[in-house]
Amino acid sequence: MVAGAQAMLATLWRGLGGADGDLARVTITGDRALPSPFAVTDLAAASIGAAGLAVSELIATTGAPAPPLTVDRTMASGWFRLPVGPSERVAGPPKTVHATPWMTEFATADGRWLRLQATFPTLRRRVAEALGVAPTPEAFAEVIRGGTADAVEAQLIAAGAAVAANRSIAEWRAHPQGQAVAQEPIRHFDERAPLASPERGWSPDPARPLAGIRVLDMTRVIAGPIATRFLASCGAEVLRLDVPGSDESSGMMGQGSDLMLGKRWAFLDLRAPGGRDRFLELVAKADVLVHGYRPGSLEALGIHRAMLDEARPDLVEVRLNAYGWTGPWRDRRGFDTLVQFSTGICDATSAWALEDPQHRLPLMVLGHAMDASRPRHLPVEAIDFGTAYQLAAAALRGLTHRVQTGRGSIAHLSLAKTAQILIDTGFVAAQAPITLPLDGPYDPLIRASPRGAVRQLAQPVAIQGCPLFWERPYEAAGASAPVWSVE
């Protein structure tokens, strides 16, 4: 319901450091919801609303009135759908969600389940080597069913794999990591040191608020790239960097997708001769750095905070981690689907469905109709997408802070905190269902893309006087050089 989305927006905006008075500028519409016991549609509307509100706040730094905005709950739900992106070909078959044996659950000897995320070859290799078997789902299943969930999880995590044993919400709340995440803020915020000689610099244009802003994107998979895509829709120049030959750039994702709308995609190896120096040169001319490196990982590449401070003293840095920034799992690899498994969301979803199977089954999980014979995920990857728009809002609020004070900042956010917000909101009453994919409304403009002419779903947020759009289509990995458009 609208009231639920408004309440969640208030939670997110306060957690991002925003003022309560700003909330009056946001109107939320729509009375349907994705079928789930959790407030998934409210999270979609609230997180997109937070990003839009951060745009409005930034515009107000020019002295112009802060524009009001409207968020459509149904459209917000549609923009949370996989495959990632709002575009559909004008002619030809629509995009479909393809099942993969490398994103699935394996039964364990103690009657529990282990979720495996091994879509990338490196992750599959680590699992195969740890289990001592061939890299096939059948071989994995044979070994995993002979061990307990906790034991196999610990073995594979130690090998650098991405897995999660299912837990209930109560078990997550009692777990040391669950307790650590519960104590963390939505956004941990640190100021950078003040400039010795602050100068009046960039100021936003209300019609295209991030024009002239440079964003260095070192994110992966979904949450981070969605965040930087939103920044690109506001006019920022976004340059994504990947290591040559990385799993993501070498596979199908490397061919480009709507994740890359409005961005350029370059290769840069920080370990190669000259790589670190080139990176710091890019940072020196960047305004925002967004990355998903776990604690200590960037430092392991030879990049330390002092180096970033020296290269760009007023840099706005936004950092994402899966399981939070404190606690015993702060270094653990994670994805949306794994965090859902760990935190009890999947257990609770299946239990909810089995309470009224006549009306709640089949469950719709990432475009597939599913039974409730095992822990099942939310209808969309709401943790990834919800966190993505919070990351964008954090970057925008960092720029607002810089305009007002001249100081850069560092913001830390996590997938697990978004999951905790969803859990703490509790179950919601049934509403008229939203069925994905949405069949419009679409933006009236037909756009060019590497796949041909495409139409895009209408934006889920409308900011008065500030249309959101992308100046460039997506491109493949390595299509651009690691340089800014104007050096």
Side-chain angles (χ1 to χ4, degrees):
M1 293 295 184
V2 168
Q6 290 171 329
M8 190 172 288
L9 172 60
T11 296
L12 296 181
W13 188 243
R14 291 166 187 153
L16 290 162
D20 280 2
D22 298 332
L23 296 168
R25 296 201 298 275
V26 184
T27 299
I28 300 177
T29 64
D31 57 3
R32 296 188 294 152
L34 293 169
S36 172
F38 294 99
V40 175
T41 287
D42 289 338
L43 175 63
S47 54
I48 291 174
L53 192 52
V55 174
S56 173
E57 179 188 45
L58 178 62
I59 289 171
T61 63
T62 66
L69 55 139
T70 300
V71 182
D72 185 304
R73 292 171 74 250
T74 298
M75 296 305 296
S77 300
W79 277 67
F80 269 42
R81 172 187 172 245
L82 287 173
V84 177
S87 302
E88 293 289 354
R89 291 179 62 187
V90 174
K95 292 182 292 188
T96 58
V97 180
H98 297 286
T100 169
W102 298 118
M103 293 175 60
T104 191
E105 302 83 33
F106 294 91
T108 58
D110 52 350
R112 294 170 64 194
W113 294 88
L114 194 76
R115 172 73 180 192
L116 177 67
Q117 194 89 8
T119 47
F120 297 135
T122 299
L123 295 177
R124 286 199 294 277
R125 175 180 53 78
R126 289 170 180 167
V127 174
E129 291 176 352
L131 298 179
V133 297
T136 67
E138 296 77 16
F140 289 0
E142 182 66 25
V143 176
I144 291 171
R145 73 168 60 100
T148 65
D150 288 341
V152 179
E153 179 188 49
Q155 177 188 4
L156 295 180
I157 290 296
V163 298
N166 72 298
R167 290 172 174 81
S168 68
I169 289 176
E171 289 169 336
W172 170 250
R173 291 189 190 277
H175 192 279
Q177 191 60 36
Q179 294 176 351
V181 171
Q183 297 301 312
E184 291 184 5
I186 291 174
R187 178 204 67 162
H188 180 80
F189 181 80
D190 287 326
E191 279 190 315
R192 286 193 145 87
L195 296 177
S197 302
E199 299 178 1
R200 179 173 176 80
W202 171 87
S203 179
D205 185 308
R208 199 70 174 134
L210 293 188
I213 289 294
R214 292 171 168 175
V215 177
L216 200 55
D217 178 358
M218 300 181 71
T219 65
R220 304 290 180 267
V221 193
I222 295 177
I226 290 291
T228 55
R229 186 181 74 178
F230 182 83
L231 300 179
S233 77
C234 299
E237 177 183 355
V238 180
L239 176 63
R240 173 168 168 172
L241 299 179
D242 262 274
V243 178
S246 67
D247 283 343
E248 193 162 328
S249 65
S250 300
M252 287 188 62
M253 294 181 71
Q255 299 173 17
S257 72
D258 278 2
L259 268 176
M260 291 298 300
L261 283 171
K263 312 179 199 178
R264 293 184 297 117
W265 197 353
F267 287 139
L268 183 65
D269 187 349
L270 271 64
R271 290 193 172 99
R276 187 176 67 176
D277 290 343
R278 182 59 194 143
F279 171 72
L280 291 173
E281 290 171 356
L282 291 170
V283 170
K285 295 186 178 181
D287 299 284
V288 178
L289 169 64
V290 186
H291 63 88
Y293 286 99
R294 297 186 307 281
S297 297
L298 197 58
E299 290 77 5
L301 294 172
I303 304 297
H304 299 272
R305 175 171 174 173
M307 300 167 70
L308 297 177
D309 290 343
E310 181 180 357
R312 182 72 193 227
D314 60 351
L315 181 69
V316 173
E317 183 179 356
V318 181
R319 305 185 66 169
L320 170 66
N321 198 14
Y323 282 101
W325 294 92
T326 61
W329 287 9
R330 64 186 179 276
D331 297 329
R332 179 175 290 208
R333 288 177 174 83
F335 296 84
D336 172 299
T337 51
L338 300 184
V339 171
Q340 288 190 45
F341 229 61
S342 297
T343 58
I345 288 174
C346 295
D347 265 30
T349 295
S350 288
W352 168 81
L354 292 173
E355 289 174 357
D356 187 4
Q358 182 177 355
H359 298 100
R360 296 173 179 172
L361 288 176
L363 289 165
M364 293 308 298
V365 181
L366 302 181
H368 297 281
M370 298 284 192
D371 61 27
S373 61
R374 62 185 67 179
R376 294 297 189 190
H377 291 86
L378 299 170
V380 293
E381 290 198 7
I383 309 305
D384 260 337
F385 282 84
T387 308
Y389 289 98
Q390 293 171 58
L391 292 168
L396 286 154
R397 296 217 70 243
L399 287 170
T400 295
H401 182 78
R402 193 179 77 174
V403 169
Q404 294 171 333
T405 69
R407 298 178 68 169
S409 59
I410 307 173
H412 295 76
L413 297 91
S414 75
L415 299 179
K417 191 63 183 183
T418 300
Q420 193 68 52
I421 293 168
L422 200 59
I423 291 167
D424 290 345
T425 301
F427 282 12
V428 293
Q431 301 167 54
I434 294 172
T435 301
L436 299 182
L438 299 178
D439 186 16
Y442 291 96
D443 187 296
L445 293 178
I446 301 299
R447 292 177 167 83
S449 88
R451 294 184 289 127
V454 296
R455 57 182 183 176
Q456 293 174 353
L457 282 176
Q459 290 280 351
V461 58
I463 306 168
Q464 189 176 88
C466 177
L468 304 179
F469 59 93
W470 295 281
E471 277 99 352
R472 58 186 302 124
Y474 66 78
E475 66 181 35
S480 289
V483 297
W484 295 114
S485 57
V486 178
E487 284 287 298

mmCIF file of all heavy atoms in Angstrom, residues 259-280:
data_model
loop_
_atom_site.group_PDB
_atom_site.id
_atom_site.type_symbol
_atom_site.label_atom_id
_atom_site.label_comp_id
_atom_site.label_asym_id
_atom_site.label_seq_id
_atom_site.Cartn_x
_atom_site.Cartn_y
_atom_site.Cartn_z
ATOM 1 N N LEU A 259 22.229 -2.918 -18.225
ATOM 2 C CA LEU A 259 23.001 -2.495 -17.057
ATOM 3 C C LEU A 259 23.972 -1.369 -17.402
ATOM 4 O O LEU A 259 24.336 -0.565 -16.543
ATOM 5 C CB LEU A 259 23.816 -3.676 -16.513
ATOM 6 C CG LEU A 259 23.211 -4.554 -15.432
ATOM 7 C CD1 LEU A 259 24.152 -5.708 -15.129
ATOM 8 C CD2 LEU A 259 22.935 -3.749 -14.172
ATOM 9 N N MET A 260 24.403 -1.343 -18.659
ATOM 10 C CA MET A 260 25.441 -0.405 -19.086
ATOM 11 C C MET A 260 24.878 0.818 -19.799
ATOM 12 O O MET A 260 25.644 1.598 -20.376
ATOM 13 C CB MET A 260 26.427 -1.123 -20.009
ATOM 14 C CG MET A 260 27.277 -2.169 -19.310
ATOM 15 S SD MET A 260 28.310 -1.455 -18.025
ATOM 16 C CE MET A 260 29.278 -0.307 -18.986
ATOM 17 N N LEU A 261 23.579 1.014 -19.764
ATOM 18 C CA LEU A 261 23.006 2.187 -20.421
ATOM 19 C C LEU A 261 23.676 3.469 -19.915
ATOM 20 O O LEU A 261 23.835 3.677 -18.710
ATOM 21 C CB LEU A 261 21.502 2.259 -20.154
ATOM 22 C CG LEU A 261 20.617 1.307 -20.966
ATOM 23 C CD1 LEU A 261 19.186 1.340 -20.430
ATOM 24 C CD2 LEU A 261 20.638 1.671 -22.437
ATOM 25 N N GLY A 262 24.077 4.306 -20.857
ATOM 26 C CA GLY A 262 24.643 5.594 -20.514
ATOM 27 C C GLY A 262 26.090 5.572 -20.088
ATOM 28 O O GLY A 262 26.646 6.620 -19.748
ATOM 29 N N LYS A 263 26.731 4.402 -20.114
ATOM 30 C CA LYS A 263 28.105 4.296 -19.600
ATOM 31 C C LYS A 263 29.074 3.900 -20.708
ATOM 32 O O LYS A 263 28.691 3.395 -21.758
ATOM 33 C CB LYS A 263 28.186 3.225 -18.501
ATOM 34 C CG LYS A 263 27.116 3.302 -17.438
ATOM 35 C CD LYS A 263 27.317 2.164 -16.440
ATOM 36 C CE LYS A 263 26.074 1.878 -15.635
ATOM 37 N NZ LYS A 263 26.270 0.750 -14.709
ATOM 38 N N ARG A 264 30.357 4.091 -20.402
ATOM 39 C CA ARG A 264 31.429 3.503 -21.198
ATOM 40 C C ARG A 264 32.088 2.412 -20.361
ATOM 41 O O ARG A 264 32.061 2.460 -19.130
ATOM 42 C CB ARG A 264 32.447 4.566 -21.627
ATOM 43 C CG ARG A 264 31.846 5.578 -22.616
ATOM 44 C CD ARG A 264 32.865 6.579 -23.115
ATOM 45 N NE ARG A 264 33.395 7.397 -22.053
ATOM 46 C CZ ARG A 264 34.671 7.418 -21.667
ATOM 47 N NH1 ARG A 264 35.566 6.642 -22.266
ATOM 48 N NH2 ARG A 264 35.073 8.215 -20.692
ATOM 49 N N TRP A 265 32.692 1.419 -21.048
ATOM 50 C CA TRP A 265 33.207 0.233 -20.360
ATOM 51 C C TRP A 265 34.628 -0.029 -20.853
ATOM 52 O O TRP A 265 34.840 -0.362 -22.019
ATOM 53 C CB TRP A 265 32.310 -0.955 -20.654
ATOM 54 C CG TRP A 265 32.478 -2.118 -19.721
ATOM 55 C CD1 TRP A 265 33.424 -2.266 -18.756
ATOM 56 C CD2 TRP A 265 31.667 -3.285 -19.658
ATOM 57 N NE1 TRP A 265 33.258 -3.454 -18.089
ATOM 58 C CE2 TRP A 265 32.179 -4.101 -18.623
ATOM 59 C CE3 TRP A 265 30.572 -3.733 -20.367
ATOM 60 C CZ2 TRP A 265 31.628 -5.338 -18.293
ATOM 61 C CZ3 TRP A 265 30.003 -4.955 -20.051
ATOM 62 C CH2 TRP A 265 30.530 -5.741 -19.020
ATOM 63 N N ALA A 266 35.592 0.114 -19.947
ATOM 64 C CA ALA A 266 37.007 -0.002 -20.310
ATOM 65 C C ALA A 266 37.697 -1.066 -19.471
ATOM 66 O O ALA A 266 37.216 -1.451 -18.397
ATOM 67 C CB ALA A 266 37.707 1.339 -20.117
ATOM 68 N N PHE A 267 38.837 -1.529 -19.962
ATOM 69 C CA PHE A 267 39.677 -2.465 -19.220
ATOM 70 C C PHE A 267 40.828 -1.704 -18.560
ATOM 71 O O PHE A 267 41.424 -0.808 -19.157
ATOM 72 C CB PHE A 267 40.267 -3.527 -20.152
ATOM 73 C CG PHE A 267 39.272 -4.550 -20.632
ATOM 74 C CD1 PHE A 267 39.286 -4.978 -21.944
ATOM 75 C CD2 PHE A 267 38.347 -5.095 -19.764
ATOM 76 C CE1 PHE A 267 38.388 -5.933 -22.393
ATOM 77 C CE2 PHE A 267 37.433 -6.048 -20.199
ATOM 78 C CZ PHE A 267 37.454 -6.469 -21.514
ATOM 79 N N LEU A 268 41.146 -2.101 -17.323
ATOM 80 C CA LEU A 268 42.319 -1.575 -16.645
ATOM 81 C C LEU A 268 42.701 -2.560 -15.552
ATOM 82 O O LEU A 268 41.881 -2.888 -14.698
ATOM 83 C CB LEU A 268 42.043 -0.200 -16.032
ATOM 84 C CG LEU A 268 43.243 0.471 -15.350
ATOM 85 C CD1 LEU A 268 44.330 0.790 -16.376
ATOM 86 C CD2 LEU A 268 42.820 1.737 -14.613
ATOM 87 N N ASP A 269 43.938 -3.024 -15.603
ATOM 88 C CA ASP A 269 44.444 -3.962 -14.602
ATOM 89 C C ASP A 269 45.327 -3.195 -13.630
ATOM 90 O O ASP A 269 46.415 -2.743 -13.985
ATOM 91 C CB ASP A 269 45.231 -5.082 -15.293
ATOM 92 C CG ASP A 269 45.639 -6.185 -14.328
ATOM 93 O OD1 ASP A 269 45.508 -6.002 -13.101
ATOM 94 O OD2 ASP A 269 46.097 -7.246 -14.807
ATOM 95 N N LEU A 270 44.854 -3.056 -12.398
ATOM 96 C CA LEU A 270 45.610 -2.292 -11.405
ATOM 97 C C LEU A 270 46.911 -2.974 -11.017
ATOM 98 O O LEU A 270 47.809 -2.318 -10.474
ATOM 99 C CB LEU A 270 44.753 -2.057 -10.154
ATOM 100 C CG LEU A 270 43.890 -0.789 -10.169
ATOM 101 C CD1 LEU A 270 42.846 -0.857 -11.277
ATOM 102 C CD2 LEU A 270 43.210 -0.584 -8.814
ATOM 103 N N ARG A 271 47.030 -4.282 -11.274
ATOM 104 C CA ARG A 271 48.257 -5.007 -10.944
ATOM 105 C C ARG A 271 49.298 -4.926 -12.059
ATOM 106 O O ARG A 271 50.461 -5.255 -11.843
ATOM 107 C CB ARG A 271 47.936 -6.477 -10.646
ATOM 108 C CG ARG A 271 47.177 -6.688 -9.339
ATOM 109 C CD ARG A 271 47.188 -8.166 -8.962
ATOM 110 N NE ARG A 271 46.648 -8.387 -7.633
ATOM 111 C CZ ARG A 271 45.399 -8.777 -7.384
ATOM 112 N NH1 ARG A 271 44.565 -8.973 -8.397
ATOM 113 N NH2 ARG A 271 44.975 -8.958 -6.145
ATOM 114 N N ALA A 272 48.876 -4.530 -13.242
ATOM 115 C CA ALA A 272 49.799 -4.435 -14.373
ATOM 116 C C ALA A 272 50.670 -3.186 -14.239
ATOM 117 O O ALA A 272 50.298 -2.225 -13.572
ATOM 118 C CB ALA A 272 49.014 -4.394 -15.681
ATOM 119 N N PRO A 273 51.856 -3.191 -14.865
ATOM 120 C CA PRO A 273 52.710 -1.997 -14.828
ATOM 121 C C PRO A 273 51.954 -0.772 -15.320
ATOM 122 O O PRO A 273 51.368 -0.785 -16.399
ATOM 123 C CB PRO A 273 53.860 -2.369 -15.773
ATOM 124 C CG PRO A 273 53.908 -3.867 -15.739
ATOM 125 C CD PRO A 273 52.474 -4.309 -15.611
ATOM 126 N N GLY A 274 51.967 0.248 -14.537
ATOM 127 C CA GLY A 274 51.277 1.483 -14.898
ATOM 128 C C GLY A 274 49.795 1.496 -14.588
ATOM 129 O O GLY A 274 49.158 2.549 -14.684
ATOM 130 N N GLY A 275 49.229 0.340 -14.229
ATOM 131 C CA GLY A 275 47.791 0.264 -13.993
ATOM 132 C C GLY A 275 47.342 1.089 -12.808
ATOM 133 O O GLY A 275 46.344 1.821 -12.885
ATOM 134 N N ARG A 276 48.071 0.979 -11.711
ATOM 135 C CA ARG A 276 47.692 1.728 -10.517
ATOM 136 C C ARG A 276 47.842 3.225 -10.753
ATOM 137 O O ARG A 276 46.992 4.026 -10.338
ATOM 138 C CB ARG A 276 48.547 1.292 -9.328
ATOM 139 C CG ARG A 276 48.091 1.918 -8.016
ATOM 140 C CD ARG A 276 48.895 1.393 -6.847
ATOM 141 N NE ARG A 276 50.296 1.837 -6.920
ATOM 142 C CZ ARG A 276 51.204 1.590 -5.979
ATOM 143 N NH1 ARG A 276 50.874 0.867 -4.910
ATOM 144 N NH2 ARG A 276 52.440 2.027 -6.097
ATOM 145 N N ASP A 277 48.909 3.634 -11.442
ATOM 146 C CA ASP A 277 49.106 5.049 -11.722
ATOM 147 C C ASP A 277 47.980 5.593 -12.601
ATOM 148 O O ASP A 277 47.482 6.707 -12.381
ATOM 149 C CB ASP A 277 50.452 5.278 -12.410
ATOM 150 C CG ASP A 277 51.631 5.039 -11.480
ATOM 151 O OD1 ASP A 277 51.420 5.023 -10.244
ATOM 152 O OD2 ASP A 277 52.754 4.844 -11.976
ATOM 153 N N ARG A 278 47.592 4.798 -13.620
ATOM 154 C CA ARG A 278 46.509 5.249 -14.495
ATOM 155 C C ARG A 278 45.208 5.369 -13.715
ATOM 156 O O ARG A 278 44.428 6.319 -13.918
ATOM 157 C CB ARG A 278 46.325 4.289 -15.670
ATOM 158 C CG ARG A 278 45.255 4.730 -16.652
ATOM 159 C CD ARG A 278 45.587 6.088 -17.233
ATOM 160 N NE ARG A 278 44.464 6.698 -17.920
ATOM 161 C CZ ARG A 278 44.199 7.994 -17.895
ATOM 162 N NH1 ARG A 278 44.961 8.816 -17.205
ATOM 163 N NH2 ARG A 278 43.187 8.482 -18.562
ATOM 164 N N PHE A 279 44.953 4.426 -12.806
ATOM 165 C CA PHE A 279 43.752 4.480 -11.981
ATOM 166 C C PHE A 279 43.728 5.765 -11.146
ATOM 167 O O PHE A 279 42.703 6.459 -11.078
ATOM 168 C CB PHE A 279 43.680 3.254 -11.076
ATOM 169 C CG PHE A 279 42.598 3.323 -10.037
ATOM 170 C CD1 PHE A 279 41.264 3.195 -10.400
ATOM 171 C CD2 PHE A 279 42.905 3.538 -8.705
ATOM 172 C CE1 PHE A 279 40.258 3.280 -9.452
ATOM 173 C CE2 PHE A 279 41.917 3.616 -7.748
ATOM 174 C CZ PHE A 279 40.589 3.488 -8.118
ATOM 175 N N LEU A 280 44.835 6.096 -10.529
ATOM 176 C CA LEU A 280 44.883 7.292 -9.699
ATOM 177 C C LEU A 280 44.749 8.558 -10.539
ATOM 178 O O LEU A 280 44.196 9.568 -10.071
ATOM 179 C CB LEU A 280 46.176 7.316 -8.888
ATOM 180 C CG LEU A 280 46.265 6.244 -7.794
ATOM 181 C CD1 LEU A 280 47.647 6.226 -7.155
ATOM 182 C CD2 LEU A 280 45.183 6.465 -6.725
#
